[in-house]
Amino acid sequence: MTLEGGVRRYLIETWGCQMNQHDSEKMAGILGGLGYEVARDAREADLILLNTCSVREKAESKVFGRLGELRRLKDTRPDLIIGVVGCVAQQAGESIFRRAPYVDLVMGPRNLARIGALIEEARREGRSIGLARDDEPIVFPAGTTARASGPRAYVTVMEGCNKSCTYCIVPFTRGREVFRAPEAILGEVRDLPARGHCEIEFLGQNVNAYHHGEHDLASLLHMADRVPGVRRLRFTTSHPGHLKQRIMDAMRDVPTVCNHLHLPAQSGSDRVLMSMNRGYTRARYISRIEYLRKAVPGIAFSTDLIVGFPGETDDDFQATLSLLREVEYDQIYAFAYSRRPGTVAALLDESPGDEVRRERLQTLLSAQETIQRRHNEALLGRSFEVLVDGQGRLDNGLMKGRTRCNRIVHFPGPSRRGDFVDVRIIRANAHSLIGELFVARGAA
Ligand code: SAM
Ligand code: SF4
C-alpha cells in the first residue's frame, strides 16, 4: 500500500563525503527507474534511506539518533521501509537490526546496484541485508544516476581503497580498489553537457591511483578535456603518495583542469605520518606543493588534517601548525582524531586525550582563519571567472558560484545557474567572498 494515489515516494538522507553524495544520486536514479518519486519530507515517504558515514564516531552516532526519531513514524506506519545504507551499514551489518529492530534493510556501499531487489525483499520477507565480501565483483550502476541540479556532476572513476592508514575505517567499509573502464567513464562524461553539467569532478577515495590498462588519471583528464561541452575538470581525493609527475603535468597542460587541488596531508610531523602509515614525508609532500605552485598559475590548495592522533606530542602538533603556515592553504578540513574499532590505531594508547584534541583543533582552526582572511583580502579588486551554481543559501538574494580555483563567491544577479560570469571581488572576510558582476559571458 502506498501513501498517495499508488505512487511510491522515497527520501534519502546523506551524511559524509562526495562519494556518499554521489552514491545517493545513483540510488535516486535506480529508484526513479523503478517508478519512485522524491518525497518532500519523511512523513510523505514510503521508503527512507539513511546513507551513512562511519569515518568518525560522531557521524555514526548521529545515524542512530536519526533512527530513533524515525521509529515514531514507523510505529504509526508499519508499511514504511527504513533502510540503513553506506559505510555504517557495511561496518555494523546485522547488529543494526539488533540495535534498531524497526530497520527493514541494511546495505553496504558496494551493493548499491542491488537496492531495488533488496527493497522488494524487505517488503516480501520483512527484512533484507546486502553486505559485500571482498571477493565479490563490484557492479557500477550505469546510466541511471539522478544528479543534483547544477552545473557540476560527479563521475566515479574508482571505488575502494588499498591503503591502510592506521586510523581509517574506509578500507573496511568500501573494500579493495576497483577501477572503471575509461570507455564507461567517458561515455558518462559525454552525456553530461547536454544535461546542463559542464563541470565534471572525477571521484575516488584515491582518485590519483586510477589505472586501467594503459590509462591513468592523467590520460583520463586529457580524454575528458576533448569532450565537447566540458568546460571544467576536477578530481578528488588525491593521495600525496600517488601524485605522479604525469598528473601534475596534466594539471599544468590540460586547459579544462581547474587550478585547485585537495591534497590531504593529515599531519605535519614525520613521526605521526609514519605512525599513520601514510607513506610520505612532510618534505615530499611540500615538494609536490612547490612544484605545482610554480607550474599552475593561481593554484589553490585545500587539505585534511587530523589532530590528536594517538601519541601526538605538542611538538608533533606544532609541526602540523607549521605545515599549515608554510603551505598557506586556501581551505582546510580539520578533525579531532576519532577512534575507530577495528583499525590499527584503535590499539594505540589514548593520549593526548579528548580535551587536548579539542584545544588543538581550535588552535589549528584559528590559525587557518588568519591565513584565509589574509588570502581573501588579497583578492579584493581582482576578477574571476565564476560558474554560477544558483541562488546562495543565505536569504540575501545573492547568487552563488565557484571560481576555477574552487573559491565560492556570492554576487548580485542577473545571471542563471550554469552561466559563466566575470565577478570582481568587493568584500572579503575569512569565510566568504562577495563580488559584483563584471562582464556576463553567457551560458555554458
Ligand atoms: N581518501 C582520502 C584521503 O586519503 O585523504 C580521504 C578519506 S576520509 C573519508 C576523509 C578524511 O577523514 C580523511 O582525510 C581524514 O582526515 C579524516 N579521517 C579519517 N579517519 C579519521 C579518524 N579516525 N578520525 C578523524 N578523522 C578521520
Ligand atoms: Fe582512508 Fe587512507 Fe584510504 Fe584515504 S587513503 S580512504 S585516509 S585508508
Side-chain angles (χ1 to χ4, degrees):
M1 209 180 73
T2 57
L3 279 179
E4 205 183 284
V7 179
R8 285 193 164 145
R9 293 183 197 277
Y10 71 90
L11 188 73
I12 306 179
E13 296 183 7
T14 310
W15 283 268
C17 62
Q18 291 101 323
M19 335 282 154
N20 261 19
Q21 287 168 28
H22 191 38
D23 282 352
S24 291
E25 295 178 335
K26 292 175 191 169
M27 286 186 283
I30 296 173
L31 293 172
L34 295 172
Y36 279 84
E37 290 182 8
V38 188
R40 275 168 301 192
D41 56 33
R43 279 165 309 171
E44 199 187 70
D46 307 279
L47 166 70
I48 299 176
L49 298 175
L50 304 187
N51 189 7
T52 60
C53 168
S54 56
V55 166
R56 283 168 290 279
E57 192 182 1
K58 207 165 154 192
E60 196 172 320
S61 25
K62 277 189 192 157
V63 173
F64 287 97
R66 181 64 180 136
L67 279 175
E69 290 166 13
L70 293 179
R71 175 188 196 148
R72 268 172 268 147
L73 217 53
K74 178 86 177 176
D75 283 344
T76 56
R77 294 191 10 235
D79 285 343
L80 170 69
I81 298 279
I82 298 179
V84 179
V85 303
C87 291
V88 172
Q90 181 65 35
Q91 182 69 7
E94 297 229 9
S95 72
I96 294 174
F97 293 133
R98 285 194 291 279
R99 210 167 148 183
Y102 45 91
V103 168
D104 305 279
L105 179 159
V106 169
M107 181 191 79
R110 284 150 53 91
N111 285 73
L112 201 145
R114 292 180 54 209
I115 184 74
L118 289 168
I119 293 167
E120 276 323 301
E121 190 181 316
R123 287 199 197 283
R124 219 179 35 244
E125 316 282 335
R127 203 167 258 191
S128 68
I129 184 159
L131 299 177
R133 292 195 323 262
D134 247 7
D135 55 347
E136 277 177 329
I138 181 165
V139 183
F140 294 100
T144 46
T145 306
R147 290 187 163 81
S149 46
R152 180 171 8 179
Y154 294 134
V155 173
T156 302
V157 303
M158 52 119 34
E159 288 280 0
C161 176
N162 283 6
K163 298 275 173 211
S164 32
C165 302
T166 52
Y167 50 82
C168 186
I169 200 80
V170 170
F172 300 91
T173 59
R174 289 194 169 257
R176 308 282 297 166
E177 288 171 357
V178 189
F179 303 101
R180 264 181 104 188
E183 307 82 63
I185 296 169
L186 289 168
E188 196 172 337
V189 170
R190 277 188 210 103
D191 201 32
L192 291 168
R195 296 172 187 267
H197 305 288
C198 62
E199 179 173 306
I200 311 298
E201 183 153 359
F202 287 147
L203 288 188
Q205 286 296 343
N206 264 322
V207 72
N208 54 343
Y210 177 84
H211 60 92
H212 196 283
E214 62 189 18
H215 293 290
D216 60 6
L217 180 66
S219 52
L220 267 190
L221 292 169
H222 279 280
M223 291 187 290
D225 173 71
R226 292 194 287 270
V227 172
V230 169
R231 301 275 298 268
R232 288 180 174 183
L233 287 170
R234 303 183 189 276
F235 52 93
T236 204
T237 297
S238 297
H239 190 285
H242 288 288
L243 196 57
K244 291 182 303 183
Q245 190 64 41
R246 273 176 55 78
I247 298 175
M248 296 197 288
D249 290 348
M251 291 197 73
R252 180 194 59 199
D253 298 335
V254 180
T256 50
V257 174
C258 291
N259 52 351
H260 165 247
L261 182 66
H262 183 66
L263 195 61
Q266 312 299 0
S267 171
S269 152
D270 280 341
R271 210 184 63 79
V272 173
L273 285 173
M274 178 99 84
S275 179
M276 288 175 162
N277 194 28
R278 285 291 286 177
Y280 52 86
T281 58
R282 172 190 175 122
R284 188 157 155 228
Y285 178 91
I286 287 184
S287 74
R288 300 292 188 274
I289 299 269
E290 281 174 350
Y291 181 88
L292 284 167
R293 274 236 156 94
K294 288 196 193 111
V296 183
I299 189 166
F301 292 101
S302 53
T303 198
D304 293 347
L305 293 165
I306 296 177
V307 296
F309 183 77
E312 184 189 79
T313 62
D314 196 46
D315 282 352
D316 293 321
F317 174 63
Q318 291 304 325
T320 298
L321 260 182
S322 88
L323 176 77
L324 188 91
R325 292 186 174 123
E326 185 172 351
V327 175
E328 294 230 346
Y329 293 102
D330 296 273
Q331 198 181 6
I332 65 164
Y333 300 87
F335 310 105
Y337 167 75
S338 168
R339 186 179 171 277
R340 304 286 56 217
T343 60
V344 171
L347 305 173
L348 301 176
D349 71 28
E350 284 287 293
S351 72
D354 285 344
E355 202 177 319
V356 174
R357 288 191 178 104
R358 276 194 292 275
E359 278 165 21
R360 288 182 182 169
L361 188 60
Q362 277 320 311
T363 309
L364 198 70
L365 291 174
S366 74
Q368 176 62 17
E369 185 159 330
T370 308
I371 293 168
Q372 254 171 245
R373 185 179 301 279
R374 183 156 28 82
H375 274 196
N376 283 351
E377 284 172 1
L379 303 177
L380 283 170
R382 286 185 54 194
S383 64
F384 290 89
E385 176 203 83
V386 168
L387 174 55
V388 181
D389 273 339
Q391 285 280 332
R393 247 191 268 163
L394 298 177
D395 193 19
N396 54 10
L398 295 183
M399 303 296 287
K400 189 184 90 166
R402 261 171 217 271
T403 65
R404 284 173 61 87
C405 52
N406 212 32
R407 292 190 174 94
I408 294 176
V409 185
H410 289 87
F411 57 95
S415 58
R416 286 167 309 155
R417 172 179 277 171
D419 281 353
F420 280 91
V421 293
D422 277 348
V423 172
R424 185 169 32 213
I425 307 301
I426 54 168
R427 251 179 36 223
N429 60 40
H431 298 289
S432 70
L433 292 171
I434 306 283
E436 65 184 5
L437 219 48
F438 192 49
V439 185
R441 294 185 182 215

